[in-house]
């Protein structure tokens, strides 16, 4: 679990890491949208998107091993809905870029860019910063508060689940499928009861510090973007526009 | 090459990459046409906005941490795999469970929180497909499952076994309908013949749905034993007073 | 006469399910006194603590004064600021995405200006020895660090009394020593629930033993905690 925790890598003194979270959200999200709207035959465009991300990876010193893990983890699920395509989809004679192989390529490259861009964002921005960024972009308070709670306790509960799983396996778990399903159900039920009670205790802890349901978990003041942020955002966006619309195949 | 194989074993060890068939429903970038993604995104945003708008007035201060905690719980529960045929495994989706625990509208909200965090923090499921993923796994699964539950509850007598049976049928249907929605979207996006996609999606998920149903009912009966007050909304029991004795709400007064 | 930090008379609390957790409990704590509350599991220690910030309210009429102020709906806010409550499990107390925000949560609820909040956060984190950990997520801290961060969250509220639920439980020897040194150094009025007799004897000038919601002994920790008959009678040996 901790292995896939990307945002913990974030270090404050790196140029990319120290950009305002809004800047990174407003460049990397659009990159995913631009890439997804690019026709599959624009090979050079995809090459440029990848190059852009590779440059960011180098600048931000993101560990390659983590990135590879991410791709490998997603790979089976991408293949599951794309690997059959070359076998079932025939090429349409009027369009040279149709057919199974192009469809397959289309899905794989777009998923790749999507995962890559998202990983660059989270590897260089801590979750708390990301939430702050969204708050400054005027996302609803309540939603952000719920996201914070979910993210904060996800790991606590996953560790709890893993401990239960280990305890279960240590007692020669196995046997008939129906029995296994029941055991898993009981584990999940216990997990729920514990998490609910934890929620109640968290609420008490909040009350003890003066919570009355109105306040948010973070500071609301909005800092202006710096010159570096504008420079980064503008140059990134121009790269995307050039790569998407300026490239002639 | 060897390094990559090593990495894979690492992951297997962490139990993060059994071939989980269920994850086939997590759609990435480029699988679904932009039109469908846009449509589902609008529906997802509307559902979330309604829930948040309603929540702003109605969510008691206590429910904010509790809804977040439910989201964390669903995420953690999804990490526990159960084996299906042939070395593959599935896991709980949890849409019906969430709907029964926190109500259908907040259930969708909770599922959307989980899917959103998975997409952004874990790059699990695409950003442009987030609306579609929320539509399939939160809206279609949650609402359809809850509707089935609601109808069955009206028809069946108000007993514990019919409560659990309704929940079982509802969770099976929720998973199957969610996967059918996914298959239809893929087919409409030109990713293969409708029959094949819907057939294989529904086929696999009718198996996974059995696991979902078994697990959901086991969880519910456990909660019913320990904290019946948490299921008051969907299973108002006449024995409530007696059951309440077991464990009570911790918080008595907070102005 | 200076006001007492805490004065409880005949506090009775029954959980909604009928469990009588506190039974006519009376106790007083002087200002700047460090008191250990000792008792077997289920003795009612945590329940007592939850009363200190008004999270639970006594079932029967009883007097409950914190620094001379009677606990009521009106004074709740004031009392919550005065009493800093540290929960047993720091994961319950650290609920924000980063330690910094957790520590800032209390002061922000007190509606302090943001510059003041920042100052408070820095001071409190420095006081517990975690000056550079503000931007971390609680998930990345060790248990000992989490416990200290939890203490920082209430220090930031400038409270006059600290109430801690088993601050050293489940810690390794080093973590335990760090917490003990921290508590010693912080001073002020402290109410410490603990099973750690060594801590009680070293830090506290007084120990109170609870059993089944009642106070059964109150006195010098060195005497009480070496009285085997007393301890045995109350499931502490
Ligand atoms: N939420 C609750 N509902 C009902 N009974 C409770 C609850 N919390 C604690 N109790 C009961 O109250 C008594 C005192 O509990 P507690 O104050 O937690 O003990 P301690 O902290 O000393 O171990 C115990 O008998 C316990 O079972
Ligand atoms: Mg206790």
């Amino acid at each position: 679990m901790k292995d896939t925790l990307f945002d913990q890598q974030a270090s404050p003194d790196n140029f990319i890491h120290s950009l305002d979270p809004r800047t990174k959200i407003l460049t990397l999200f659009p990159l995913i949208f631009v890439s997804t709207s690019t026709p599959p035959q624009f090979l050079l465009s995809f090459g440029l998107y990848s190059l852009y991300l590779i440059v960011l990876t180098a600048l931000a010193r993101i560990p390659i091993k983590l990135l590879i893990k991410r791709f490998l983890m997603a790979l089976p699920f991408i293949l599951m809905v794309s690997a059959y395509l070359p076998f079932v989809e025939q090429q349409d004679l009027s369009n040279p870029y149709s057919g199974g192989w192009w469809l397959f390529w289309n899905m794989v490259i777009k998923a790749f860019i999507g995962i890559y861009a998202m990983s660059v964002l989270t590897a260089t921005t801590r979750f708390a910063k990301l939430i702050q960024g969204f708050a400054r972009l005027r996302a609803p308070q309540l939603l952000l508060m719920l996201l914070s709670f979910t993210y904060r306790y996800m790991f606590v509960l996953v560790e709890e689940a893993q401990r239960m799983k280990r305890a279960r396996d240590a007692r020669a778990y196995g046997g008939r499928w129906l029995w296994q399903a029941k055991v898993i159900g009981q584990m999940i039920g216990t997990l729920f009861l514990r998490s609910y009670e934890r929620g109640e205790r968290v609420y008490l802890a909040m009350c003890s510090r003066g919570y009355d349901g109105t306040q948010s978990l973070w500071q609301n003041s909005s800092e202006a973007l710096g010159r570096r942020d504008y420079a980064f955002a503008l140059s990134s966006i121009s790269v995307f526009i050039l790569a998407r619309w300026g490239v002639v195949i | 090459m060897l390094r990559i194989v090593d990495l894979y074993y690492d992951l297997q060890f962490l139990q993060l990459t059994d071939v989980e068939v269920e994850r086939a429903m997590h759609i990435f970038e480029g699988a679904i046409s932009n039109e469908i993604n846009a449509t589902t995104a609008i529906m997802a945003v509307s559902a979330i906005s309604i829930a948040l708008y309603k929540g702003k007035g109605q969510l008691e201060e206590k429910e904010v941490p509790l809804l977040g905690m439910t989201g964390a719980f669903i995420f953690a529960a999804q990490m526990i795999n159960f084996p299906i045929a042939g070395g593959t495994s599935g896991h709980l989706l949890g849409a019906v469970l969430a709907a029964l625990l926190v109500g259908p509208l907040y259930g969708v909200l909770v599922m959307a929180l989980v899917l959103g965090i998975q997409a952004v923090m874990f790059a699990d499921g695409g950003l442009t497909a987030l609306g579609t993923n929320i539509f399939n796994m939160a809206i279609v699964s949650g609402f359809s499952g809850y509707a089935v539950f609601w109808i069955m509850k009206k028809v069946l007598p108000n007993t514990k076994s019919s409560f659990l049976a309704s929940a079982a049928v509802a969770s099976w249907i929720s998973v199957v309908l969610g996967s059918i929605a996914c298959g239809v979207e893929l087919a409409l996006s030109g990713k293969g013949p409708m029959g094949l996609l819907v057939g294989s999606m529904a086929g696999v998920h009718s198996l996974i749905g059995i696991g979902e149903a078994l697990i959901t009912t086991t969880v519910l009966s456990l909660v019913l034993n320990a904290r019946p007050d948490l299921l008051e909304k969907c299973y108002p029991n006449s024995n409530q007073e007696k059951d309440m004795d077991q464990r009570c709400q911790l918080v008595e007064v907070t102005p | 006469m200076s006001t007492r930090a805490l004065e409880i008379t005949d506090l009775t609390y029954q959980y909604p399910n009928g469990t009588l957790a506190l039974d006519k409990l009376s106790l007083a704590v002087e200002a700047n006194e460090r008191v250990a509350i000792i008792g077997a599991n289920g003795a009612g220690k945590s329940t007592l603590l939850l009363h200190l910030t008004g999270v639970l309210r006594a079932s029967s009429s009883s007097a409950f004064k914190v620094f001379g102020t009677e606990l009521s709906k009106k004074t709740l806010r004031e009392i919550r600021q005065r009493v800093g409550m540290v929960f047993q499990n720091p994961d319950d107390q650290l609920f924000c995405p980063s330690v910094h925000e957790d520590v800032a949560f209390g002061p922000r609820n007190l509606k302090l200006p943001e510059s003041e909040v920042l100052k408070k956060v820095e001071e409190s984190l420095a006081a517990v020895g975690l000056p550079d950990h503000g931007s971390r997520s609680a998930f990345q801290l060790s248990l000992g660090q989490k416990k200290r961060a939890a203490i920082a969250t209430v220090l930031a509220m400038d409270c006059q009394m600290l109430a801690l639920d088993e601050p050293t439980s489940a810690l390794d020897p080093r973590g335990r020593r760090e917490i003990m040194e921290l508590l010693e150094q912080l001073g002020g009025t402290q109410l410490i629930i603990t099973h750690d007799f060594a801590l009680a004897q070293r830090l506290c000038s007084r120990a109170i033993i609870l059993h089944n919601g009642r106070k059964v002994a109150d006195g010098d920790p060195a005497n009480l905690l070496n009285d085997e008959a007393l301890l045995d009678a109350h499931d502490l040996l």
Side-chain angles (χ1 to χ4, degrees):
Chain A
M1 193 69 211
K2 273 184 182 166
D3 279 38
T4 52
L5 252 191
F6 247 54
D7 72 313
Q8 312 294 4
Q9 307 290 330
S11 63
D13 26 300
N14 181 284
F15 167 66
I16 305 286
H17 292 241
S18 63
L19 286 171
D20 190 286
R22 279 173 292 182
T23 313
K24 285 183 271 186
I25 295 170
L26 290 181
T27 51
L28 290 165
F29 277 23
L31 171 60
I32 297 177
F33 280 89
V34 169
S35 138
T36 306
S37 75
T38 308
Q41 65 272 28
F42 285 25
L43 300 181
L44 193 52
S45 305
F46 291 111
L48 289 173
Y49 304 146
S50 310
L51 189 64
Y52 170 82
L53 290 170
I54 290 169
V55 170
L56 286 199
T57 310
L59 284 178
R61 300 187 190 287
I62 300 169
I64 310 287
K65 197 175 161 181
L66 282 175
L67 285 173
I68 293 178
K69 269 195 184 184
R70 282 232 158 150
F71 296 134
L72 286 180
M73 272 168 59
L75 197 60
F77 313 118
I78 298 166
L79 291 182
M80 224 182 283
V81 286
S82 62
Y84 64 89
L85 283 168
F87 306 102
V88 298
E89 286 291 304
Q90 301 300 322
Q91 186 177 343
D92 178 354
L93 287 179
S94 62
N95 180 359
Y97 303 117
S98 65
W101 283 109
W102 278 111
L103 282 173
F104 175 71
W105 158 252
N106 182 45
M107 280 175 75
V108 172
I109 186 64
K110 287 176 181 175
F112 170 78
I113 301 277
I115 294 170
Y116 199 172
M118 213 52 117
S119 302
V120 169
L121 174 65
T122 49
T124 59
T125 322
R126 284 176 194 277
F127 182 76
K129 280 266 171 214
L130 211 54
I131 286 285
Q132 202 180 50
F134 282 115
R136 288 176 181 170
L137 292 171
R138 309 233 175 280
Q141 290 278 336
L142 182 57
L143 183 67
L144 295 179
M145 210 146 150
L146 289 170
L147 284 170
S148 308
F149 277 115
T150 304
Y151 190 74
R152 166 71 184 90
Y153 286 104
M154 230 154 73
F155 301 109
V156 177
L157 296 187
V158 167
E159 281 200 337
E160 211 154 291
Q162 270 168 350
R163 278 199 298 272
M164 276 197 263
K165 201 148 80 176
R166 244 172 267 139
R168 172 195 76 182
D169 295 339
R171 281 175 290 171
Y173 161 78
R176 281 182 309 132
W177 186 73
L178 206 64
W179 164 246
Q180 289 192 21
K182 191 167 174 227
V183 172
I184 292 173
Q186 278 165 351
M187 279 168 60
I188 294 179
T190 310
L191 192 67
F192 173 72
L193 289 171
R194 284 193 202 163
S195 60
Y196 193 88
E197 278 165 9
R198 180 183 294 278
E200 289 178 321
R201 288 197 304 274
V202 168
Y203 170 65
L204 296 184
M206 294 171 79
C207 287
S208 303
R209 280 187 274 151
Y211 171 73
D212 61 14
T214 55
Q215 55 280 81
S216 59
L217 300 181
W218 52 85
Q219 181 191 345
N220 263 328
S221 69
S222 185
E223 280 167 42
L225 290 176
R227 202 177 294 159
R228 293 180 324 149
D229 289 296
Y230 282 113
F232 176 82
L234 283 180
S235 50
S236 300
I237 300 284
S238 357
V239 168
F240 307 156
I241 292 177
L242 215 66
R244 169 70 176 83
W245 288 280
V247 167
V248 186
I249 30 163
Chain B
M1 197 57 220
L2 237 165
R3 298 290 308 154
I4 295 184
V5 175
D6 279 355
L7 276 176
Y8 240 114
Y9 279 116
D10 258 17
L11 294 171
Q12 290 266 348
F13 177 70
L14 288 169
Q15 297 240 330
L16 286 170
T17 54
D18 288 10
V19 182
E20 289 177 38
V21 185
E22 187 130 333
R23 285 281 152 120
M25 262 165 83
H26 268 85
I27 289 178
F28 283 86
E29 252 74 57
I32 301 290
S33 72
N34 298 338
E35 295 77 10
I36 296 182
N37 274 338
T39 315
T40 51
I42 291 172
M43 296 208 222
V45 168
S46 322
I48 294 171
S49 309
I50 294 171
L52 288 176
Y53 180 76
K54 202 169 154 242
K56 229 179 180 161
Q58 290 192 351
L59 270 188
E60 286 173 38
E61 48 182 78
K62 183 181 167 188
E63 284 177 281
V64 178
L66 286 177
L67 274 190
M69 198 65 77
T70 312
F73 157 72
I74 295 283
F75 180 91
Q78 290 190 351
M79 287 283 169
I80 302 178
N81 300 336
F82 56 83
I84 325 173
T88 58
S89 74
H91 63 77
L92 188 78
L93 177 63
V96 167
L97 188 58
L100 294 182
L101 290 170
V102 299
L105 192 55
Y106 295 141
V108 169
L109 182 58
V110 163
M111 294 301 291
L113 294 176
V114 174
L115 290 165
I117 288 180
Q118 282 170 338
V120 176
M121 300 311 291
F122 296 89
D124 184 5
L127 178 68
T128 57
L130 184 56
T132 303
N133 284 329
I134 291 179
F135 179 75
N136 296 342
M137 287 181 271
I139 299 181
V140 172
S141 300
F143 284 153
S144 71
Y146 193 81
V148 170
F149 171 83
W150 190 82
I151 294 169
M152 285 187 68
K153 216 186 70 170
K154 289 271 161 205
V155 176
L156 296 175
N158 183 24
T159 63
K160 185 173 164 180
S161 48
S162 58
F163 166 71
L164 293 179
S166 319
V169 175
S171 23
W172 185 82
I173 288 184
S174 76
V175 172
V176 174
L177 279 185
S179 74
I180 289 178
C182 182
V184 170
E185 288 149 7
L186 282 169
L188 289 181
S189 311
K191 298 290 162 359
M194 181 75 82
L196 174 83
L197 283 169
V198 172
S200 55
M201 274 285 181
V204 173
H205 283 86
S206 55
L207 273 179
I208 296 182
I210 299 175
E212 178 94 10
L214 282 171
I215 291 176
T216 304
T217 45
T218 316
V219 172
L220 288 174
S221 57
L222 208 78
V223 176
L224 216 49
N225 270 330
R227 290 288 299 262
D229 55 307
L230 302 185
L231 290 170
E232 216 171 346
K233 271 180 255 132
C234 55
Y235 181 50
N237 186 353
S238 46
N239 300 334
Q240 195 76 61
E241 303 298 320
K242 216 167 60 198
D243 286 343
M244 275 293 275
D245 282 1
Q246 298 231 331
R247 209 77 209 290
C248 277
Q249 297 265 332
L250 192 60
V251 188
E252 240 235 311
V253 218
T254 24
Chain C
M1 189 193 96
S2 69
T3 47
R4 283 187 161 153
L6 178 68
E7 200 165 359
I8 300 174
T9 344
D10 284 345
L11 174 64
T12 300
Y13 183 79
Q14 193 169 22
Y15 276 101
N17 66 358
T19 311
L20 191 62
L22 294 176
D23 187 5
K24 289 200 179 260
L25 180 73
S26 301
L27 60 88
V29 175
E30 303 295 333
N32 293 322
E33 198 180 17
R34 209 185 270 121
V35 178
I37 308 266
I38 294 166
N41 288 326
K45 309 180 298 291
S46 299
T47 310
L48 171 64
L49 224 55
L50 288 176
H51 279 82
L52 292 186
T53 49
V55 171
L56 295 179
R57 294 279 186 84
S59 310
S60 70
S61 60
S62 65
F64 195 115
K65 282 190 191 164
V66 179
F67 292 101
T69 309
E70 185 79 35
L71 179 71
S72 74
K73 241 184 160 115
K74 257 189 279 162
T75 57
L76 198 70
R77 217 184 162 73
E78 187 193 333
I79 286 185
R80 281 189 178 161
Q81 200 218 313
R82 290 181 160 199
V83 181
M85 166 102 160
V86 181
F87 285 68
Q88 182 172 353
N89 186 340
D91 274 327
D92 299 340
Q93 190 140 9
L94 304 171
F95 45 79
C96 295
S98 75
V99 173
H100 175 96
E101 271 142 14
D102 266 311
V103 180
F105 184 78
R108 281 187 191 145
N109 285 341
L110 297 174
K111 308 270 188 282
L112 298 181
E114 200 54 37
S115 57
E116 189 81 358
V117 171
L118 278 181
K119 212 175 101 215
K120 286 258 151 54
V121 172
E122 273 169 26
E123 283 169 6
S124 324
L125 283 176
V128 298
L130 297 172
D132 304 321
H133 291 65
S135 65
R136 297 251 201 132
S137 142
F139 188 68
Q140 289 173 291
L141 302 181
S142 72
L143 183 64
Q145 290 174 325
K146 278 192 215 176
K147 289 214 174 205
R148 282 185 283 146
I151 294 177
T153 64
V154 300
L155 289 184
M157 296 183 74
D158 272 340
C159 40
Q160 292 164 290
M161 172 159 66
L162 279 183
L164 306 108
D165 199 345
E166 307 201 14
T168 56
S169 65
L171 284 182
D172 58 21
R174 169 63 60 90
R176 173 170 167 267
R177 203 188 72 202
E178 282 170 353
I179 293 278
M180 279 169 57
E181 280 167 3
L182 174 61
L183 292 178
E184 190 154 27
Q185 179 195 326
L186 287 174
T189 315
Q190 293 178 3
L191 205 60
I192 308 174
I193 289 185
T194 187
H195 292 297
D196 185 342
F197 289 0
L199 178 148
Q201 298 194 27
R202 192 176 126 196
L203 293 186
C204 302
S205 52
R206 193 146 69 89
I208 292 174
I209 297 184
L210 292 190
H211 187 65
N212 290 339
R214 288 169 209 248
K215 184 168 85 176
V216 292
D218 186 344
D220 181 9
N223 293 339
L224 295 186
L225 299 175
N226 290 316
D227 181 347
E228 292 201 356
L230 176 76
L231 295 181
D232 195 25
H234 301 110
D235 309 331
L236 289 168
L237 200 65

